[in-house]
Amino acid sequence: VLAHLVRGDSNQTIGLALGVSEGAVELHVSALLARLDVESRSALVARFWSSRAP
Amino acid sequence: VRGRPVRAMPMPPDRRSPLRGPAEPEGADPFEAALEAIASPAFLVRAPDEVIRSNARGAALLAADPGAVRAVIRDGSPGGATARSLPGVEGYTLVVLPEAADDVRTRAATSARRWRLTHRQREVLEVLARGSSNAAIAQALGCSEKTVEVHVSALLEKAAADGRAQLVARLWTDL
């Protein structure tokens, strides 16, 4: 899910690509945001690409 | 151009890899760890352009635009890539792209030219690209949140992005 998220894919697109429901993707995304302590998906994308040490 | 799932690229079992010794513990992949330690998108390439491994940024970039990434890996252009041969390992090169080494400001400037942004839109993009909310952008630029909304809508349209997360992704992945 993270791999798709950092390309800016929507939940619907991620769901289609991974063969799971959009609802399931939403759960994964929420879990990722909480775990990485960011407030939005754009903040997560920003952090993935701009941090010096991944 | 998207749609290719990002996945780990294991060595084909039919070809013995000189990079994986028999003594390595199962599950651990020192080479992958080494790639991940590189901040920029990085690829292990078997000549001429077969990507064997990549770090997370490399994989995301490859998935976003396979054709362009392969062209850069092959020819080192247009973005410029550093290719290093690996001593003692023939036929493989380590290719590192400069992209993620740039800072947000540089990337925003590049995107502003590409997307033909106005000066103000570029300022908004630069703050947005750090993952800021509209409220935070409004505060940073000293304008109302409504104004920011207008700028962001224009940005999304110009970049043909489907949401702000995709806008930030495009900022980093467009070669």
Side-chain angles (χ1 to χ4, degrees):
Chain A
V1 172
L2 180 65
H4 284 272
L5 200 58
V6 298
R7 285 152 53 194
D9 286 353
S10 67
N11 285 350
Q12 193 184 7
T13 307
I14 299 173
L16 282 173
L18 301 181
V20 296
S21 74
E22 205 176 325
V25 176
E26 273 171 32
L27 284 176
H28 287 304
V29 171
S30 303
L32 277 170
L33 294 183
R35 177 179 288 204
L36 299 171
D37 195 26
V38 288
E39 63 176 16
S40 67
R41 55 200 294 146
S42 68
L44 189 148
V45 176
R47 208 173 107 181
F48 175 85
W49 290 103
S50 64
S51 61
R52 284 299 195 157
Chain B
V1 219
R2 62 182 53 82
R4 264 172 68 114
V6 178
R7 57 195 158 81
M9 294 174 197
M11 291 284 187
D14 54 331
R15 277 187 257 186
R16 276 176 56 93
S17 160
L19 297 167
R20 201 193 255 295
E24 268 172 33
E26 208 42 52
D29 186 347
F31 209 90
E32 210 155 278
L35 278 174
E36 283 303 339
I38 302 171
S40 303
F43 309 89
L44 172 62
V45 177
R46 178 159 45 206
D49 64 352
E50 186 189 353
V51 176
I52 306 295
R53 303 271 171 92
S54 48
N55 60 13
R57 281 178 182 162
L61 212 53
L62 192 62
D65 196 344
V69 173
R70 277 176 205 288
V72 174
I73 287 174
R74 237 182 0 254
D75 314 324
S77 60
T82 311
R84 280 172 198 280
S85 55
L86 306 170
V89 188
E90 230 162 280
Y92 291 83
T93 44
L94 174 68
V95 178
V96 180
L97 304 193
E99 308 305 323
D102 295 342
D103 60 13
V104 174
R105 185 176 288 251
T106 313
R107 297 297 303 187
T110 308
S111 298
R113 279 194 299 277
R114 180 181 301 126
W115 299 332
R116 299 173 188 281
L117 304 184
T118 65
H119 182 71
R120 197 57 166 169
Q121 285 164 353
R122 174 182 152 176
E123 287 179 331
V124 171
L125 176 65
E126 204 178 306
V127 186
L128 189 154
R130 299 174 203 277
S132 309
S133 64
N134 283 353
I137 297 172
Q139 197 167 25
L141 299 183
C143 60
S144 78
E145 212 175 317
K146 281 268 175 240
T147 311
V148 174
E149 280 172 25
V150 173
H151 287 310
V152 172
S153 301
L155 273 171
L156 292 176
E157 187 153 339
K158 281 189 174 178
D162 185 15
R164 58 200 293 141
Q166 192 171 91
L167 182 68
V168 179
R170 294 272 311 275
L171 177 101
W172 291 101
T173 57
D174 277 5
L175 291 179

